[in-house]
Amino acid sequence: MKQRILTGDRPTGPLHLGHYVGSLVNRVKLQDEYDCFFIIADYQVLTDHLKETATIGENIREIVLDYLSVGIDPQKSTIFIQSKIPAITELTMYFSFLVTLPRLQRNPTVKDEAKTYGVTNISYGFLGYPISQAADILAFKADLIPVGQDQLPHIEQTREIVRSFNRVFGKEVFALPEPLVGEIPVLVGTDGTNKMSKSLDNFVAFAHSPEETERRILNMVTDRKRAYRKDLGHPDECFAFKYWSVFAPTDTLLVRQECETAARGCKECKAQLAKKLNEHLVEIRERRQCYVSQPDLVWDILAAGTKRARAVAAETLEEVREAMKISFPRLRVSMKRGK
Ligand code: ATP
Ligand code: MG
């Protein structure tokens, strides 16, 4: 039996370069070796985008197109929608009794997100979403979780839930999942301040045109210490240089030398960088174009994935109910509506 991977994305917008280096590269690499489940976490959108639910459907479609275009293969991997797996919702309920309020309030990623997205009156659902994320992972008994650095506190929370569930109910139902952080744990956005993020306008998406990519890169923050073209640059403190080292590492020696001697200015440096990125993205964008023209494809993939995910999660749920002694085998009611 292959080990399992579970990871995913919030449908808050199209995927960007941060996802690519933080998680997607690992996902594509591992999909032959592992039984992969990729979740589109629509409950998590409600945490800080409650008034934008009308965009969720289109964002789900965009994300699946992005998956396909980077090389995720729905024949090998299961792609599904979180809210369409009832077992995840039920597990979230059970797990919520294993986590204290102060523990949730200490989660640094939740605190950061509330601050970055300007959420002042944090809801019960927002504070508790790491529990629902634990349910996502544990519903599939995933062994490995490829994520960006911001997700590590949630994996730790999941591991605590595993320990406490197994201890409280006296049965080793769950094993401890391990995180797998990408080669670049966090890619800073074009604002040079925050993590590149769908919810902030600081990203370069696969779905962007080459012209839009160039516009975004040209607007990017570079070296805050270099005020004039003639000033010598500081590549190690420049955000554009970070992108060079991630996306065109073989050019960094030359870029560094020209920057440090002021032989290149920031504007031409960014124009060249945009060109490199566009070259890097050509294939992904061509594939994306090909999938966009097939309107039912995404929804058919999601229907098949959701069906498979439901079956796996339902098995785990039954095991959980038994361990908790709340499976009531003599109670015969169908869960279908109206029966
Ligand atoms: P949002 O702004 O809506 O939170 P996001 O850009 O943070 O969107 P998520 O869907 O929250 O994207 O994250 C999906 C996965 O991608 C997570 O594993 C996360 O750690 C990873 N990830 C997202 N942004 C980056 C980044 N800038 N660098 C590295 N990894 C990232
Ligand atoms: Mg996020």
Side-chain angles (χ1 to χ4, degrees):
M1 269 256 289
K2 282 182 181 173
Q3 286 210 317
R4 287 221 176 107
I5 276 181
L6 180 290
T7 186
D9 305 275
R10 308 205 296 165
T12 45
L15 299 185
H16 52 63
L17 298 177
H19 297 114
Y20 189 65
V21 294
S23 167
L24 290 172
V25 169
N26 270 337
R27 296 190 208 178
V28 174
K29 213 164 41 186
L30 296 172
Q31 66 179 339
D32 287 312
E33 212 182 307
Y34 285 81
D35 184 16
C36 292
F37 286 80
F38 299 131
I39 184 168
I40 307 206
D42 54 344
Y43 281 151
Q44 282 192 25
V45 180
L46 308 180
T47 56
D48 54 352
H49 292 69
L50 197 54
K51 291 194 182 134
E52 290 142 58
T53 49
T55 62
I56 293 177
E58 183 49 25
N59 288 335
I60 288 177
R61 186 173 155 272
E62 293 284 338
I63 285 181
V64 178
L65 288 170
D66 287 332
Y67 284 175
L68 299 176
S69 57
V70 296
I72 288 177
D73 178 351
Q75 302 296 328
K76 297 179 188 162
S77 301
T78 304
I79 306 173
F80 65 98
I81 302 177
Q82 182 186 34
S83 68
K84 297 294 164 273
I85 314 296
I88 290 180
T89 318
E90 191 170 330
L91 287 175
T92 304
M93 183 70 182
Y94 299 146
F95 294 160
S96 71
F97 295 97
L98 299 169
V99 184
T100 66
L101 196 55
R103 175 66 185 87
L104 289 175
Q105 285 165 330
R106 275 202 308 274
N107 186 310
T109 296
V110 174
K111 283 200 269 190
D112 269 6
E113 286 171 343
K115 197 164 140 215
T116 310
Y117 304 141
V119 179
T120 42
N121 264 334
I122 192 161
S123 70
Y124 166 63
F126 191 165
L127 192 66
Y129 93 77
I131 302 180
S132 131
Q133 193 162 318
D136 301 337
I137 295 169
L138 299 179
F140 301 94
K141 297 196 168 178
D143 304 284
L144 195 66
I145 324 293
V147 283
Q149 192 175 38
D150 60 311
Q151 298 299 303
L152 292 179
H154 303 341
I155 312 296
E156 193 42 49
Q157 175 70 85
T158 304
R159 290 166 62 89
E160 285 174 28
I161 289 175
V162 166
R163 288 192 200 97
S164 93
F165 185 95
N166 291 348
R167 191 185 61 245
V168 170
F169 299 107
K171 211 173 159 207
E172 293 291 302
V173 174
F174 298 112
L176 291 172
E178 294 290 339
L180 176 70
V181 176
E183 220 170 288
I184 312 297
V186 52
L187 187 73
V188 173
T190 51
D191 56 3
T193 307
N194 295 296
K195 168 182 101 64
M196 184 176 278
S197 161
K198 286 187 243 102
S199 304
L200 302 170
D201 199 15
N202 68 352
F203 63 88
V204 175
F206 308 134
H208 284 147
S209 65
E211 297 73 31
E212 178 65 11
T213 300
E214 188 177 21
R215 190 186 69 74
R216 285 176 177 251
I217 294 294
L218 286 177
N219 281 334
M220 164 173 203
V221 173
T222 49
D223 174 356
R224 290 195 168 105
K225 284 192 185 154
R226 189 179 183 190
Y228 300 103
R229 168 72 181 77
K230 63 176 176 23
D231 294 349
L232 304 185
H234 314 85
D236 293 323
E237 292 169 56
C238 170
F239 293 100
F241 188 75
K242 281 202 173 65
Y243 283 40
W244 276 107
S245 45
V246 174
F247 296 101
T250 51
D251 295 328
T252 48
L253 254 178
L254 181 70
V255 174
R256 172 183 289 283
Q257 194 228 336
E258 290 184 353
C259 170
E260 283 174 342
T261 54
R264 70 165 52 213
C266 292
K267 195 164 168 218
E268 60 187 289
C269 184
K270 287 192 282 187
Q272 274 183 30
L273 173 65
K275 199 159 161 266
K276 283 278 169 190
L277 282 175
N278 279 327
E279 281 167 19
H280 203 87
L281 292 170
V282 146
E283 231 179 279
I284 294 178
R285 285 172 175 158
E286 273 172 13
R287 262 183 274 166
R288 203 175 195 284
Q289 240 1 74
C290 161
Y291 296 123
V292 168
S293 58
Q294 306 174 55
D296 291 332
L297 178 74
V298 160
W299 300 105
D300 290 346
I301 289 171
L302 284 167
T306 301
K307 194 168 164 209
R308 168 151 196 254
R310 272 189 188 177
V312 174
E315 259 179 54
T316 307
L317 179 63
E318 207 33 58
E319 223 183 305
V320 163
R321 288 178 180 151
E322 273 168 28
M324 293 177 70
K325 309 203 171 34
I326 53 166
S327 69
F328 316 130
R330 300 189 64 182
L331 179 73
R332 300 204 180 279
V333 278
S334 162
M335 293 306 280
K336 283 192 195 134
R337 210 176 328 157
K339 297 213 174 151

